[in-house]
């Protein structure tokens, strides 16, 4: 997340408030795979969300880097889309 901040990305995580994560606030667009059917469990984490959403309100940290992705909202925010 710190690297993305150096690229001008607004920390939308902070705007989500203390009770809701980025991925929950921006669901389903904030998920790594918003078109997945069924939507849960996700297999990757959107980089700004930091965690893999396995069920609504339940997340786990990724175990390895290949479980992270840059989702559409983040890509747009940093000008990659």
């Amino acid at each position: 997340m710190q690297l993305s901040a150096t690229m001008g990305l607004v920390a939308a995580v902070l705007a989500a408030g203390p009770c809701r994560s980025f991925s929950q606030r921006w669901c389903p667009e904030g998920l790594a795979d918003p078109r997945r059917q069924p939507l849960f469990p996700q297999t990757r984490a959107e980089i700004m969300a930091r965690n893999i959403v396995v069920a609504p309100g339940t997340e786990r940290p990724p175990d390895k880097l290949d479980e992270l992705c840059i989702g559409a909202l983040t890509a747009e925010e940093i000008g990659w889309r």
Side-chain angles (χ1 to χ4, degrees):
M1 192 155 95
Q2 297 304 319
L3 177 61
S4 58
T6 66
M7 299 180 336
L9 184 61
V10 175
V13 165
L14 301 176
C19 299
R20 301 178 77 184
S21 73
F22 174 81
S23 55
Q24 291 170 328
R25 179 172 173 110
W26 297 101
C27 193
E29 295 86 9
L31 296 173
D33 188 2
R35 294 186 182 103
R36 181 179 173 85
Q37 290 298 323
L39 190 56
F40 303 106
Q42 292 281 302
T43 57
R44 298 179 300 158
E46 205 287 333
I47 197 161
M48 288 302 292
R50 296 189 330 233
N51 289 322
I52 298 170
V53 183
V54 294
T58 305
E59 303 176 4
R60 72 165 180 83
D63 293 321
K64 46 195 171 179
L65 286 176
D66 68 356
E67 291 182 314
L68 295 172
C69 75
I70 296 176
L73 288 177
T74 301
E76 188 173 327
E77 182 88 14
I78 61 177
W80 285 8
R81 187 177 164 130

